[in-house]
Amino acid sequence: MRPPPSPPPKASNGGMALPEPVSVYTVSASALIPVETTDTPASGDYEPYDNRKLDRPTTNFETWVHMLKGSLGTGVLAMPEAFTNAGILIGTLGTIFIGSVCTYCLHVLIRCQYTLCKRARIPVINYPDTVRMALESGPVPLRPMARYAPALVDTFLVVYQLGICCVYIVFVATNLQQVLSSWVGLIDLKWLQLALLLPLILLNYVRSLKYLAPLSTVANAATAVGFGIIVYYMVPALPSPADRPLSKPVSSLPLFIGTTLFALEAVGLVIALENNMKTPRAFPGYFGVLNRSMVVIVALYTVMGFFGYVRYGEDAKGSITLNLPSVDIAAKVCKLIFSLAIFITYALQCYVPLDILWEQRLKRRLEKSNHLLLWEYVFRTLIVVGTFVLAVAVPRLELFISLFGALCLSALGLVFPALVDLCVAWPHTGRYNWILVRDVLIFLFGLLALVVGTYVALRDIIVSLF
């Protein structure tokens, strides 16, 4: 087992508060206080749930609320634009289908982690070690891959989180551009992004993220107001759904899949919440917290995508806030609200790459240095500058979302869970090898979404640069 990461932040996606002390994407035993157990193989099965001792566990209702909060970020605002790549019928059915597959894979991952905890007689394991331990017990040809699994999973986590940071910079700058342009004239987007650079660096210098919690609470309340304003502008002026195409060419579907995965899939968030529950047995099940949360989440995303596309059609932009009138006061307030919420969340999203790259790797190599704190601030600065450079290079918000959804969340939310499930079940793959068939189909779907979605997004990014 790798050493546990440092205590995590209180928020994840879109400025939404999360319970302490569990990390969002690299969940580990650091959330737990070790306890002695008298269980032995002879005296009975080890029960991971009974050996978890949490500082501040969450109730079922609190977990449900946190899942809803954690899913209402930039992803839901991009769903109308996602529908422009699928059409009104395929977009609706596709969102429900992808949401169902993602939900199923989350169930699979939670179940497999529980099984691995029982086998290893530990209360909880993180995501990278889940993949490693599963591969170690899987088919013989896959076992040599186990040693590389933690680094591979960490790479996808880092790339995804830094990708979110890039999306956030573009999101905030683009919304501010619309608001300020109505007051002082058109401002080049790159100048606004440059103006954000120093504040983002200073924000990322906050080493104890608990000081951002009050701001996150305010942002959460403001976000609810922002969604109310969006509904105010979107619903009354709806044209007939018959005016929109039912489907789009197959060549554009990868962008839809990538955006939808980016919006819906939150594998680390789900793991974090399950590991922080007072009654984790209530999380899975047909009427468990996970299903009750995902039904609401998928419904919200489908409704936002459907009505947003019906309202704005092919003019739907990477964030529905950009479709709101630039001169109306209410629309300006909405854009400023979401800009503030996403700006605050930038430092929280930087936590995971800082934890993986700095705390778990670079810090150990520099621990004998007399300037360790200085090197940490240098690294924090480089993280922000790196995301800033990429955001300036590719200012297309919708392409960023599709790229990182296809590249990272296809792997983290579909490919890895299917692989873990197959390895944990091996060699007992069910009657007619139905577990093998099921996991191979999910694996191939995730791999196809990863390869094709990444290719299409990169192709369109290159075209947009020239």
Side-chain angles (χ1 to χ4, degrees), residues 301-350:
Y301 277 63
T302 304
V303 169
M304 179 65 75
F306 180 90
F307 287 105
Y309 181 57
V310 171
R311 173 66 177 85
Y312 297 108
E314 303 306 312
D315 294 327
K317 298 182 180 180
S319 170
I320 195 172
T321 57
L322 302 177
N323 287 106
L324 303 183
S326 300
V327 296
D328 290 7
I329 296 297
K332 292 178 182 178
V333 170
C334 180
K335 295 171 186 178
L336 290 175
I337 282 174
F338 281 108
S339 296
L340 174 64
I342 297 303
F343 175 83
I344 293 172
T345 312
Y346 180 94
L348 303 175
Q349 297 292 358
C350 276

Side-chain angles (χ1 to χ4, degrees), residues 116-135:
L116 290 172
C117 284
K118 286 179 69 72
R119 291 178 182 177
R121 303 181 65 79
I122 54 178
V124 68
I125 53 177
N126 61 25
Y127 194 5
D129 284 328
T130 296
V131 182
R132 176 185 59 80
M133 293 173 63
L135 288 171

